[in-house]
Amino acid sequence: MIIAATVDGQLKDVRPEEPRVLIVGAGIAGIALAQLLRGRGMHPVLIDRSADSGRMIGDNRAGYMLALMPMVDPIIDELDCREAYLEASVGIDRYIAHAHTGRVLRQDHLGDLLADYGDYRGISRAALLDVLTDGDCPIAFGTTVTELSEGGTTVTLAQGDQGDQESEHEFDVVVIADGMNSRTRELATGKAGPTEPAKARLDRLQNSRHNRPRQALARVVSGHNLGRMGLLGRSR
């Protein structure tokens, strides 16, 4: 279950001997990693720029259909959500190509491939998020990264309705899982533009999402592997 939380509230659970991990982006990749770490007794801080969980679990939640290959099975098993995953997904055993009239042009059966490697299943993005968050999943919504120190261990976060409440935190690892062309990735690679107010940055990022026609395809490809993530960190 997705639970709205604060950054400070999540940090309170981190033990002194435990690495402080920040995961930026509560999509498939970010949530999967957070839940895996929590299952191993860690307490990562998970943040997302969305104002709330409405787009994930509400009636108007955004999403698309994913075709997940057997390579995701170890993650599903470690999260102990296989039964829920099977119930929420459908098996894919063939590809069928249709003409615009509906006439079947060809069928390709996947029997040999499935026999060798395992299930190939279809599931909507929203349903997959439900499966991954079967256990409690705290997320700090309305939170973005505005600054990263060299090495990415000192992080400035903007929070609040206007993105005007900034706070600085130390982390051992920063995982960038908030999508391609993200501001966080720009900060990490040194490609970020001139400093601008946090609210203005947030507005620019949100508006730009409507002008990226190829983004959906990129996300579907990432979803095959439960997401792709950038990683920054330091040795303890």
Side-chain angles (χ1 to χ4, degrees):
M1 176 185 299
I2 293 175
I3 300 172
T6 63
V7 172
D8 289 338
Q10 294 181 72
L11 282 172
K12 288 179 181 177
D13 294 327
V14 181
R15 299 182 301 273
E17 71 278 8
E18 182 183 332
R20 292 163 65 97
V21 179
L22 173 67
I23 302 174
V24 184
I28 294 171
I31 285 179
L33 176 61
Q35 297 299 79
L36 285 170
L37 293 178
R38 288 163 179 161
R40 298 181 183 185
M42 297 178 63
H43 301 85
V45 174
L46 179 58
I47 66 173
D48 195 85
R49 66 188 177 197
S50 300
D52 53 45
S53 62
R55 295 198 63 196
M56 300 177 185
I57 61 176
D59 292 337
N60 296 318
R61 56 193 179 184
Y64 37 78
M65 179 62 72
L66 299 170
L68 296 185
M69 299 179 181
M71 65 184 70
V72 309
D73 286 352
I75 295 176
I76 297 297
D77 290 337
E78 184 168 342
L79 291 175
D80 195 25
C81 59
R82 174 156 296 279
E83 185 175 342
Y85 171 59
L86 293 177
E87 184 176 345
S89 61
V90 295
I92 299 174
D93 62 2
R94 73 192 69 184
Y95 282 108
I96 305 176
H98 294 266
H100 69 282
T101 60
R103 180 172 61 90
V104 175
L105 299 177
R106 63 176 293 170
Q107 293 191 47
D108 295 298
H109 293 268
L110 305 176
D112 292 342
L113 181 65
L114 298 177
D116 288 340
Y117 298 102
D119 282 347
Y120 187 31
R121 306 192 66 82
I123 186 171
S124 72
R125 180 179 187 274
L128 180 57
L129 289 177
D130 285 340
V131 170
L132 295 175
T133 58
D134 186 48
D136 288 347
C137 182
I139 302 173
F141 289 104
T143 305
T144 59
V145 176
T146 58
E147 290 185 33
L148 283 172
S149 67
E150 186 175 353
T153 55
T154 301
V155 183
T156 302
L157 300 176
Q159 305 167 73
D161 295 337
Q162 303 299 318
D164 54 359
Q165 301 174 21
E166 292 195 338
S167 57
E168 191 173 278
H169 303 272
E170 292 287 330
F171 290 96
D172 297 295
V173 178
V174 176
V175 181
I176 302 172
D178 59 344
M180 298 175 67
N181 301 318
S182 73
R183 173 69 181 185
T184 314
R185 187 170 282 106
E186 291 176 354
L187 291 170
T189 58
K191 295 181 180 180
T195 302
E196 56 184 321
K199 179 60 168 60
R201 283 197 294 269
L202 182 60
D203 288 343
R204 177 174 59 81
L205 288 170
Q206 290 175 333
N207 291 335
S208 68
R209 296 181 66 187
H210 302 294
N211 299 311
R212 296 203 299 266
R214 298 181 182 177
Q215 187 71 9
L217 175 60
R219 287 180 178 171
V220 170
V221 172
S222 296
H224 286 174
N225 299 299
L226 285 186
R228 295 176 180 171
M229 298 167 285
L231 181 67
L232 295 172
R234 65 182 179 192
S235 59
R236 294 179 65 82

